[in-house]
Amino acid sequence: MKLFNMTICMSDMFFIFMSFLLEWVGVLVSVAFFVLLERKLLGYVQDRLGPNKVGFVGIFQSVSDAIKLFSKEEFFLYQFDYYMYYLSPMIGFFMSLLLILSLPYNLNFLSMELFLLYLMSCLSMGGYWFLMASWASNSIYSMLGGIRSIVQALSYEVCMFIMFLIMFLYSESYSIKMFMEFKCMFILVNMGMFMLIYISLLAELNRMPFDFVEGESELVSGFNTEYMSGMFALFFLAEYLMMIIISMLLVILFLGLEMMSLKFTIMVMVIMMSLIMIRGVLPRMRYDLLMDLCWYLMLPLVLIMLYFMMILKFYI
C-alpha cells in the first residue's frame, strides 16, 4: 500500500513538473514573438522597416538575437560585487517565472486561494533586484538608475496595491478564479479604476511615458549599463515577461474571461499592442511630474475609491 501511494505521489509530481515546464516554455516563446511584434509595430509607427531579413519577413529575428546575446563575451568589471552582479538578473527572471505559476491555467495544479497576497509579494520584490544590479555594477550611471527605480516602484506600488485590493473586494476573496466564475465585465462600471491601474502598471513596467529607470538619453540605460551578454538578456526577458503576465491579469480582473478562450487571447493582444503603441507615440515625462502624478493625483483618488468601496460593502 505504501509503495502504491509513493507511485501515485511520484506520478503527480511528474505531471506538476511537466505542467510548469509547458507554461514556462509557452510563455518564453510568446516573449520572443512579442518582441518581434513590438519591433515591427514601432517600425510602422516611425515610418521605417522593422526586422525583415532573418527568416520569412523576419520571423526568426528574436531567435537570432537570443543566440547572439547568449554567445557574446562576458567582461569582468573593476571592483564589482561578483555574487550580487550575477545573482540580480537571475532573481528578476525567476520572480517573473514565479508569477506564471499563479495564473489559473487548466494545466496548473496550484489552487492559489491567496492569489492577491502572492501577487503583491512577487511585485514588491521588483525593486530589490534593480537595486542589487545597480549597486553591484560599481557605476555612477547604474546607481542613479537604481535609485530612480526604487523611488518610482515604491511610489506607484502603493497606489497599485490599493487598487488591486479594491478589485478583490468585489469578489470578497483573495482568489482570481472568482472573477472568471462571475463572468462580469467590471470595466463597464470601473473604467476609471482600469485607467488608474493601467497607468500604475506602465510605471511599474518602466514603459513609456514612464521610462525613467532605463532612460537612455539621461542615464545611458540606467541600472543595466554595465550588463552584457546573457545577463542583459535575462533583464530583457524579465521585463517583457512581466508585460505579458500583467496583460493577462488585467483581462481576467476587468473582463472575467476564461484563459483558454479565443476572446481572452484577443483581449490580451489588444492590451499588449496598446503598450507598444504608447511607446511609439508618447514622449517621456519629467521625473518631478511623474512623482506629482502619483502622490498628488492618483493616491487621493485611489483612497477615495477605497473609502467608497468599504462604505458600500458595509451597508450592502
Side-chain angles (χ1 to χ4, degrees):
M1 186 67 182
K2 291 183 179 180
L3 182 61
F4 179 71
N5 291 334
M6 185 180 298
T7 306
I8 293 177
C9 292
M10 290 298 294
S11 63
D12 290 343
M13 290 297 295
F14 174 75
F15 284 117
I16 291 173
F17 174 76
M18 291 303 297
S19 67
F20 292 164
L21 186 63
L22 286 174
E23 290 178 19
W24 288 338
V25 171
V27 175
L28 289 177
V29 172
S30 64
V31 167
F33 285 101
F34 179 43
V35 174
L36 177 63
L37 175 65
E38 180 179 32
R39 296 179 65 181
K40 296 290 280 188
L41 283 181
L42 288 179
Y44 294 142
V45 169
Q46 299 166 358
D47 195 16
R48 60 178 174 82
L49 293 177
N52 61 350
K53 299 296 183 183
V54 184
F56 178 70
V57 296
I59 196 171
F60 295 118
Q61 182 67 49
S62 297
V63 179
S64 64
D65 289 340
I67 296 173
K68 178 190 70 175
L69 281 173
F70 283 101
S71 61
K72 277 183 173 292
E73 183 181 1
E74 187 80 22
F75 293 97
F76 285 90
L77 306 177
Y78 178 69
Q79 292 184 349
F80 75 113
D81 193 316
Y82 179 85
Y83 295 104
M84 290 180 64
Y85 180 85
Y86 287 103
L87 191 61
S88 53
M90 299 178 187
I91 292 177
F93 183 63
F94 183 67
M95 294 307 299
S96 300
L97 290 179
L98 282 181
L99 271 177
I100 301 174
L101 303 183
S102 63
L103 298 177
Y105 284 106
N106 291 340
L107 293 174
N108 203 335
F109 286 83
L110 301 180
S111 61
M112 282 298 167
E113 295 298 328
L114 302 177
F115 171 81
L116 177 62
L117 303 180
Y118 181 82
L119 175 66
M120 290 183 176
S121 302
C122 292
L123 291 179
S124 62
M125 291 293 293
Y128 289 99
W129 54 276
F130 283 149
L131 189 60
M132 288 174 59
S134 60
W135 176 264
S137 299
N138 192 24
S139 170
I140 298 298
Y141 289 114
S142 300
M143 196 64 213
L144 287 173
I147 293 172
R148 288 166 64 145
S149 69
I150 292 297
V151 174
Q152 180 175 332
L154 288 178
S155 299
Y156 279 88
E157 280 179 1
V158 173
C159 298
M160 185 174 62
F161 288 167
I162 295 176
M163 285 185 283
F164 278 134
L165 179 61
I166 294 173
M167 288 302 301
F168 278 86
L169 281 175
Y170 282 108
S171 62
E172 298 182 353
S173 171
Y174 287 128
S175 176
I176 197 173
K177 294 181 181 178
M178 297 297 294
F179 289 89
M180 295 189 295
E181 293 178 1
F182 287 157
K183 298 185 184 301
C184 181
M185 298 182 67
F186 288 106
I187 193 173
L188 298 179
V189 294
N190 275 325
M191 179 58 72
M193 178 70 67
F194 175 78
M195 295 305 299
L196 289 176
I197 291 183
Y198 188 82
I199 293 172
S200 299
L201 291 174
L202 282 176
E204 180 72 18
L205 296 170
N206 308 317
R207 299 290 296 180
M208 285 290 185
F210 309 126
D211 185 21
F212 294 101
V213 178
E214 303 176 6
E216 294 89 353
S217 59
E218 304 170 17
L219 299 173
V220 197
S221 191
F223 70 96
N224 56 9
T225 301
E226 304 297 334
Y227 281 87
M228 63 211 81
S229 185
M231 296 295 104
F232 176 80
L234 290 180
F235 280 128
F236 194 77
L237 287 173
E239 178 181 350
Y240 281 84
L241 191 57
M242 285 295 298
M243 292 173 61
I244 296 176
I245 296 172
I246 292 302
S247 300
M248 293 179 179
L249 290 178
L250 288 180
V251 173
I252 295 175
L253 290 177
F254 287 94
L255 298 178
L257 298 177
E258 294 285 344
M259 288 198 65
M260 304 306 292
S261 63
L262 180 60
K263 293 181 180 179
F264 177 84
T265 306
I266 294 174
M267 294 310 301
V268 169
M269 288 294 298
V270 169
I271 295 180
M272 289 164 58
M273 291 179 68
S274 69
L275 295 174
I276 298 172
M277 297 303 293
I278 287 176
R279 179 179 179 182
V281 173
L282 296 181
R284 185 182 296 128
M285 290 179 63
R286 271 175 27 203
Y287 198 77
D288 60 328
L289 295 179
L290 174 75
M291 293 293 104
D292 291 345
L293 175 65
C294 175
W295 295 110
Y296 296 136
L297 181 61
M298 291 184 60
L299 186 59
L301 287 176
V302 170
L303 291 177
I304 291 173
M305 290 180 180
L306 178 62
Y307 184 66
F308 175 76
M309 179 57 64
M310 292 177 67
I311 292 177
L312 193 65
K313 285 293 182 179
F314 182 76
Y315 286 103
I316 295 180

